[in-house]
Amino acid sequence: MPLTHRKDLGLLALRLGAGGVLIAHGAQKLFGWFGGAGIEGTARGMEHMGFVPGRESAIAAGLGEAGGGALLALGLATPAAGAAAAGAMAGAAAVHAPAGFFAQGGGLEYPAFLGFVAACLGLSGPGCFSLDHVTRHRLDRPATVVMAFTLSAAAATVVLNRRAATLAAAEASGPGRDAEGQTA
C-alpha cells in the first residue's frame, strides 16, 4: 500500500468507528434502540437536565449524534457532520462536567472525546475513501468548514446558556420544584 493511502485508510477507520458510536447514541435517543429511552423518555430526561423544551432537545441531540455520525461514517458533508456531532456532544459534556473529568466518576471524558474526534474529522476532511471525495468535495469546501463550525458553536452557546438559565431558575424556586415552581 502506498504511504500516501495510509492516512486516508486511517481517516476511514476513525470515521467508521466514531460515526458508528455516534449513530448508536443517537439511535438510543431517537428510536429507543440499544437500551435507549426513545424520544419520549429522552425528552423527560432532557427536561430534567435543564434542556427545554425536552422533546425538541431530544430530537436535536439525536439527530446531531445519529445524523452527524452517519455522515461522518460516509465521509459526506464532513465539515457539517463533524460540527453537528461536536455541538451535540458539547451539550452532553456540559451535563457531565459537574462530576469532573474522568468517566468512571460520571465525568465529561467520554462525550468530550467523542465531540473532539468529530470536530477534528470535520476540520481535517474525510480522506479519499469518502463520498466527499467521490462528489469532488462539493460539500467539503473551506467556506463550509467555517460556516458549519460557526453555526454549531453559536447554537451550542445558545442551548447551553438557556440550560444554565433554566437550571438557575429551578434552583431559585426551591428544591424539588421546576422553574415554574411546580413540584418536580
Side-chain angles (χ1 to χ4, degrees):
M1 175 182 307
L3 189 60
T4 56
H5 290 298
R6 286 178 54 205
K7 179 183 84 168
D8 294 313
L9 191 58
L11 285 169
L12 173 63
L14 188 58
R15 286 190 353 258
L16 291 173
V21 169
L22 287 161
I23 291 167
H25 274 281
Q28 288 180 308
K29 290 174 181 64
L30 295 171
F31 311 117
W33 296 351
F34 312 115
I39 290 292
E40 296 309 319
T42 301
R44 286 188 299 276
M46 295 294 250
E47 293 236 354
H48 180 73
M49 292 180 279
F51 294 101
V52 290
R55 183 173 177 76
E56 288 81 356
S57 297
I59 292 169
L63 288 176
E65 292 173 6
L71 290 172
L72 279 175
L74 294 169
L76 180 63
T78 305
M89 297 318 297
V95 169
H96 291 273
F101 179 74
F102 292 103
Q104 73 261 22
L108 62 85
E109 176 182 18
Y110 185 64
F113 186 70
L114 277 177
F116 180 76
V117 169
C120 288
L121 286 167
L123 292 170
S124 71
C128 71
F129 303 122
S130 67
L131 290 179
D132 276 336
H133 183 75
V134 170
T135 61
R136 299 180 185 223
H137 298 277
R138 285 188 172 87
L139 301 173
D140 180 30
R141 306 249 189 232
T144 308
V145 174
V146 172
M147 182 176 61
F149 279 92
T150 300
L151 290 173
S152 180
T157 299
V158 168
V159 167
L160 293 176
N161 285 339
R162 186 169 43 184
R163 175 181 181 254
T166 299
L167 293 175
E171 188 169 315
S173 69
R177 299 194 176 271
D178 64 16
E180 288 81 36
Q182 303 296 317
T183 302

